[in-house]
Amino acid sequence: MSETSASDEILTTADGKPLKEALAKAQFFAKRRAFILVLPLLAFILLTFVMPIGQMLHRSVKNEGFTVHTDVTTGVRTPIMTELSIWFDQNPSGTVPDEAAYTALRNDIGALDELRSAGSAGTRINYLRAGSRSLFTKAARKWDKMEAPYQDAFYDLDDEWADATLWAAMRQASSSYTFDFYLAAMDYTRDGDGSVTKVNENRQVYIKLFVRTLFLSLLITFMTFILAYPIAHLLATLPLRHSNILMILVLLPFWTSLLVRTTSWMVLLQSQGVVNDAMVGVGILADESRLQMMYNQTGTVIAMTHILLPFMVLPLYSVMRPINPSYVRAARSLGATSWTAFRRIYFPQTVPGIGAGALLVFILAVGYYITPALVGGADGQLISNLIAFHMQKSLNWSLAAALASLLLGGILLLYWLYDRLVGIDNLKLG
Amino acid sequence: MTDLANDQSFVKFDRVQKSYDGEVLVVKDLNLSLPKGEFLTMLGPSGSGKTTCLMMLAGFETATHGEILLDGSPINNIPPHKRGIGMVFQNYALFPHMTVGENLSFPLEVRGMDKSVREEKIKRALDMVQMGDFINRRPAQLSGGQQQRIALSRALVFEPELVLMDEPLGALDKQLREQLQFEITRLAHDLGITTVYVTHDQTEALTMSDRVAVFEDGRIQQLAPPDKLYEEPENSFVAQFIGENNTLEGVVTAIKDNNLCEIKLDDGEIIDANAVNVSKVGERSRVSIRPERVEMNKDRLQPGAHTLKAEVMEFIYMGDMFRTRLRVAGKDDFVVKTRNAPDQQRLEPGTQIDIGWLPEDCRALDA
């Protein structure tokens, strides 16, 4: 009885095995082979994409500059500032440092001097409070000559050792994990008693740069859209013979080095450049009022619009190509003017391409580095240039990572918004 | 039926020529006039210029030379949206981002009609094609036949007097095509619309139209009602293009009275034929005989019928018909069609038989 009811429910093969089991077995080898084939790609993505991003996120909240010293040659890790860290644990934030604190500080700086890492520890504090590094290097030179009471000894060394903000900075840095780099990336800081405040107005750079990056990226996206739409339409409607040539012209920039394209824009746009010379030559401009199109936002926008144009043209083209001309003809025969036919029939069918192109151009523009670095001047720099600065010049990798993470978060947010508004499955890249 | 006597033509092509590149004429000297209410089909192989004619009438192409008149006034310079001509496309051209109702509403909206008027007209137009329940569907959710029904009702919803159809049934399967052929003709006649229908399917042309214009090489080869077109083709292209046709080639040896002539076929056989396109002795001619006009049963031959020797090459069973391929006068592509009647014999390949036909059924056309 139970057997028959079971066979009623579960479909079986001719020899009585459950059908699902048989199917899974039959497909096992094919699936395993398919998996082995994609394994290299999976490993590649893990190694070159997922892990670096994970590392970046990790680095943005972790900095051991004031907690651990790692010997460059041997790789030995030695905890530093241990006594001071204990004092910070025992005394709440905002406590005025007492003699015990200065004793701990003196011993720790002594340890630093033996490890020859007073400079790097000072740099870590310097991130939070400008001008602190020299305090540490100076103290490391003099620590063995100090005599108790150490509080006065430090005061003799430098008045700034009494500064509350310095102590707040050391307290922050005494833990390896911190969100302070995110605060810094958003122009916030901690004052002496540890509460979050905006940084001094003339030192607020990051938010301004984020806003500028977003604004310029939007502007560039819009410009590429305006330029690319007619080109893509032409490409899609011309006979294949002609459209191929035009397509090559569109793709030509892709085959040219990015650096070459950017520098050729420099040749064109500089104040003694081709464009200005031509306008002066024709008489539109007076020689002394040559247009400043380089080393400012104008240069960044022009060059980036050109460089990113193909990324808008291609998705638009791939959406427009299959749109049958009979749609517009039908609309016209039904009584619509050519404008109405475009607005109500043609344009709505190209929206997935616009979405895809805009998203692509915008995301590329937000993270663009080389072009703004070359033609942007001071005015046309984007957030990526600042990230590069912190990685190469100031060597504050944690701040660079925090800025990059914010950028990543912002893009993901936009991506989510796009999905909510347009729908990601409407995206068509070709 | 249409009043052909009414010489007030509704659509008129007057010496229209069309060239795309300035080197080749796609349409050569087209003269055509349609009375109101007529269902005219433009039939022809692809590249014959029929679709170009339709596009010129719709306003998507301009005539290189000549005039197109609609209801007496020239429309060469009127843009398509002001012509008020309904149009049905082969790929339906239903707007994919709109529902069926929005599709039908579109021509009414651009004409600035009120919502209540629109709704009523949409309902009526959809009911006309029995698609009233589909108003909120999207085109992608409909089958090909349903889409074409909607496209048809969209072309009719703004009550045009002229409707153009560009191979509207080309993408549908046979059964659906036949059903829609019937529906389109019924609608066109019920509503009294003038219809210009383009197709390359001769069956469609014959079953639907009041008149058929056969296009080839940019010219109308024959313009006639379907029965006349099939039974009395005026030249060998039309004879060959419309229906199945047997061609025998030869030289005119004598012109007789009663519009008959004598033709010596290339293998020496002499037959009588209806002199359609031949005028003098010595001219080469292609003689056309319809497969169903050939009789293979000697006893059934009518008096005066001409007989020829033939050898059976192939016998094909087609259900309602038998199709027998014969070698006649040296050519082995001569086809005879016979009804599947109880007394009809099935011929083995290799059998020698006599075949015959009436001289009137045999038309001597141009070579």
Side-chain angles (χ1 to χ4, degrees):
Chain A
M1 183 65 205
S2 64
E3 249 184 55
T4 51
S5 71
S7 67
D8 279 347
E9 284 158 20
I10 303 166
L11 285 170
T12 57
T13 56
D15 56 356
K17 282 185 202 157
L19 195 60
K20 277 194 177 163
E21 216 171 89
L23 185 70
K25 206 176 166 190
Q27 289 181 336
F28 173 73
F29 288 100
K31 276 187 178 166
R32 198 177 62 175
R33 210 174 57 162
F35 182 73
I36 289 171
L37 282 172
V38 298
L39 204 59
L41 180 67
L42 201 67
F44 182 77
I45 289 179
L46 268 175
L47 272 173
T48 63
F49 186 71
V50 178
M51 271 174 48
I53 287 185
Q55 273 223 328
M56 181 191 78
L57 289 174
H58 186 223
R59 201 181 276 278
S60 69
V61 293
K62 184 185 182 190
N63 192 309
E64 293 182 331
F66 207 60
T67 51
V68 176
H69 170 75
T70 308
D71 193 285
V72 185
T73 45
T74 59
V76 176
R77 291 163 55 83
T78 323
I80 53 174
M81 312 309 285
T82 43
E83 289 186 33
L84 193 62
S85 161
I86 292 167
W87 185 85
F88 282 134
D89 287 343
Q90 288 163 349
N91 298 279
S93 170
T95 313
V96 178
D98 52 14
E99 177 60 22
Y102 282 100
T103 311
L105 181 65
R106 185 240 174 215
N107 294 342
D108 283 337
I109 287 181
L112 281 181
D113 186 41
E114 269 152 31
L115 288 165
R116 307 234 163 270
S117 66
S120 65
T123 306
R124 172 71 183 93
I125 305 303
N126 212 50
Y127 294 157
L128 299 164
R129 185 181 171 284
S132 306
R133 188 175 180 274
S134 60
L135 295 177
F136 281 84
T137 49
K138 208 159 116 191
R141 280 198 303 274
K142 303 266 175 72
W143 70 277
D144 45 357
K145 293 182 190 77
M146 282 184 183
E147 279 168 22
Y150 291 115
Q151 183 163 13
D152 295 330
F154 271 103
Y155 285 0
D156 287 342
L157 207 58
D158 202 309
D159 287 346
E160 288 193 50
W161 283 112
D163 188 8
T165 58
L166 176 66
W167 281 88
M170 287 196 289
R171 180 184 284 276
Q172 282 169 51
S174 67
S175 116
S176 293
Y177 287 91
T178 171
F179 279 103
D180 288 341
F181 293 106
Y182 281 97
L183 287 181
M186 290 186 288
D187 288 336
Y188 283 96
T189 185
R190 284 183 200 275
D191 57 15
D193 56 8
S195 60
V196 177
T197 50
K198 263 225 171 285
V199 297
N200 198 332
E201 206 163 311
N202 53 31
R203 297 183 62 193
Q204 294 177 6
V205 280
Y206 303 114
I207 292 293
K208 212 172 74 190
L209 257 171
F210 270 119
V211 169
R212 184 199 288 166
T213 304
L214 285 185
F215 169 73
L216 286 185
S217 300
L218 282 175
L219 183 67
I220 288 160
T221 308
F222 181 72
M223 301 263 291
T224 52
F225 165 68
I226 293 290
L227 292 173
Y229 202 89
I231 301 173
H233 180 74
L234 196 63
L235 272 171
T237 47
L238 273 181
L240 214 56
R241 194 157 41 95
H242 302 297
S243 68
N244 274 344
I245 297 170
L246 195 61
M247 186 55 113
I248 288 171
L249 291 179
V250 169
L251 291 179
L252 205 59
F254 266 150
W255 304 333
T256 323
S257 153
L258 182 64
L259 218 55
V260 171
R261 276 183 280 161
T262 307
T263 40
S264 56
W265 274 114
M266 294 166 81
V267 171
L268 285 172
L269 295 180
Q270 56 185 272
S271 55
Q272 298 298 322
V274 179
V275 175
N276 268 315
D277 281 352
M279 285 204 280
V280 170
V282 173
I284 303 173
L285 280 181
D287 199 18
E288 62 274 11
S289 60
R290 285 172 177 261
L291 290 179
Q292 197 52 249
M293 290 180 288
M294 277 278 295
Y295 308 120
N296 56 21
Q297 292 188 9
T298 318
T300 304
V301 170
I302 292 177
M304 278 180 69
T305 300
H306 168 247
I307 285 162
L308 295 175
L309 194 59
F311 295 100
M312 185 62 102
V313 173
L314 292 177
L316 279 177
Y317 168 76
S318 80
V319 166
M320 286 173 175
R321 186 96 218 174
I323 296 180
N324 198 306
S326 68
Y327 287 126
V328 170
R329 287 186 164 177
R332 299 273 280 143
S333 79
L334 292 170
T337 59
S338 44
W339 167 242
T340 310
F342 170 78
R343 188 173 54 85
R344 294 204 44 198
I345 305 304
Y346 191 79
F347 186 77
Q349 295 188 58
T350 61
V351 165
I354 298 173
L359 206 61
L360 198 61
V361 170
F362 182 78
I363 287 175
L364 283 172
V366 157
Y368 230 69
Y369 165 68
I370 187 111
T371 305
L374 287 175
V375 300
D379 233 19
Q381 299 289 306
L382 301 183
I383 195 72
S384 51
N385 301 106
L386 209 68
I387 295 174
F389 168 77
H390 281 305
M391 295 199 59
Q392 295 164 345
K393 297 279 166 55
S394 80
L395 299 181
N396 189 352
W397 284 24
S398 289
L399 183 57
L403 286 168
S405 302
L406 281 179
L407 194 60
L408 180 70
I411 289 172
L412 287 178
L413 186 74
L414 281 167
Y415 198 66
W416 174 80
L417 258 179
Y418 179 87
D419 186 35
R420 287 293 299 271
L421 296 177
V422 186
I424 217 71
D425 42 350
N426 273 334
L427 204 74
K428 223 181 145 193
L429 285 174
Chain B
M1 269 300 288
T2 323
D3 186 10
L4 287 171
N6 182 3
D7 61 40
Q8 180 64 49
S9 59
F10 183 58
V11 178
K12 191 172 162 123
F13 286 84
D14 187 18
R15 311 208 59 184
V16 171
Q17 294 184 314
K18 172 73 186 175
S19 171
Y20 286 106
D21 53 6
E23 284 164 18
V24 183
L25 278 177
V26 184
V27 175
K28 301 168 182 162
D29 196 26
L30 181 83
N31 291 290
L32 177 67
S33 82
L34 273 83
K36 218 174 187 135
E38 187 180 44
F39 195 115
L40 178 110
T41 299
M42 294 177 169
L43 174 69
S46 49
S48 60
K50 54 188 193 321
T51 301
T52 307
C53 285
L54 198 76
M55 289 304 162
M56 284 194 285
L57 187 52
F60 300 126
E61 301 287 353
T62 45
T64 314
H65 173 81
E67 200 105 62
I68 301 171
L69 300 145
L70 183 64
D71 213 3
S73 46
I75 53 169
N76 283 15
N77 294 320
I78 298 178
H81 67 276
K82 289 190 179 151
R83 297 193 180 190
I85 298 174
M87 187 144 184
V88 182
F89 296 83
Q90 178 175 9
N91 66 351
Y92 326 123
L94 292 177
F95 308 138
H97 56 294
M98 296 182 178
T99 64
V100 166
E102 286 162 352
N103 262 283
L104 265 78
S105 178
F106 183 79
L108 307 176
E109 279 168 37
V110 298
R111 283 174 173 74
M113 291 187 187
D114 287 340
K115 194 161 188 266
S116 55
V117 182
R118 288 205 309 256
E119 275 169 2
E120 194 206 312
K121 280 182 189 276
I122 292 168
K123 192 181 176 311
R124 209 178 334 135
L126 282 177
D127 287 343
M128 213 156 59
V129 291
Q130 293 97 45
M131 294 290 291
D133 300 337
F134 294 83
I135 188 158
N136 289 322
R137 297 277 191 95
R138 296 232 169 217
Q141 297 168 307
L142 303 175
S143 71
Q146 290 169 331
Q147 289 193 46
Q148 198 53 291
R149 281 213 176 88
I150 300 298
L152 185 65
S153 71
R154 187 182 66 178
L156 298 173
V157 70
F158 62 98
E159 292 158 18
E161 288 186 86
L162 176 63
V163 175
L164 312 181
M165 304 195 190
D166 186 12
E167 310 209 14
L169 309 179
L172 302 178
D173 61 55
K174 188 166 176 286
Q175 227 169 358
L176 213 57
R177 208 157 57 210
E178 281 166 4
Q179 196 185 337
L180 272 168
Q181 281 168 14
F182 169 74
E183 264 183 62
I184 289 174
T185 7
R186 179 183 60 81
L187 268 175
H189 283 150
D190 285 358
L191 300 171
I193 329 162
T194 315
T195 312
V196 179
Y197 190 99
V198 162
T199 182
H200 60 261
D201 180 340
Q202 37 143 325
T203 324
E204 218 165 270
L206 294 180
T207 51
M208 297 175 78
S209 332
D210 295 325
R211 281 195 300 165
V212 179
V214 181
F215 275 72
E216 161 67 359
D217 196 23
R219 284 179 206 283
I220 295 181
Q221 301 291 333
Q222 188 170 359
L223 174 62
D227 51 346
K228 210 167 167 235
L229 201 66
Y230 184 78
E231 282 162 33
E232 300 169 21
E234 277 171 8
N235 55 43
S236 38
F237 174 79
V238 177
Q240 202 65 48
F241 193 72
I242 309 283
E244 229 179 331
N245 183 53
N246 290 310
T247 313
L248 298 170
E249 289 184 41
V251 180
V252 180
T253 48
I255 302 279
K256 301 183 181 175
D257 11 326
N258 291 343
N259 214 12
L260 289 178
C261 65
E262 196 181 78
I263 293 190
K264 189 179 169 197
L265 297 181
D266 289 348
D267 73 330
E269 199 93 45
I270 289 175
I271 58 168
D272 285 335
N274 209 340
V276 181
N277 238 351
V278 291
S279 50
K280 57 181 187 289
V281 174
E283 209 175 338
R284 276 198 72 80
S285 171
R286 283 178 195 219
V287 183
S288 130
I289 312 115
R290 294 289 180 199
E292 66 278 8
R293 295 295 167 100
V294 180
E295 184 55 68
M296 293 195 294
N297 191 336
K298 247 192 200 166
D299 310 333
R300 286 213 211 131
L301 273 178
Q302 290 173 34
H306 193 92
T307 59
L308 278 174
K309 292 260 178 266
E311 185 193 344
V312 177
M313 305 296 291
E314 193 180 14
F315 176 85
I316 300 165
Y317 178 82
M318 296 174 71
D320 54 342
M321 303 284 277
F322 297 154
R323 194 164 180 274
T324 317
R325 189 160 65 83
L326 305 171
R327 178 196 291 277
V328 175
K331 299 181 73 180
D332 56 6
D333 58 353
F334 196 97
V335 170
V336 177
K337 272 186 186 165
T338 44
R339 203 161 56 84
N340 183 359
D343 59 333
Q344 192 61 254
Q345 51 175 328
R346 304 183 182 191
L347 295 163
E348 288 294 319
T351 321
Q352 300 288 334
I353 53 164
D354 283 326
I355 57 167
W357 57 79
L358 289 172
E360 300 85 83
D361 289 334
C362 172
R363 296 170 67 80
L365 305 168
D366 56 309

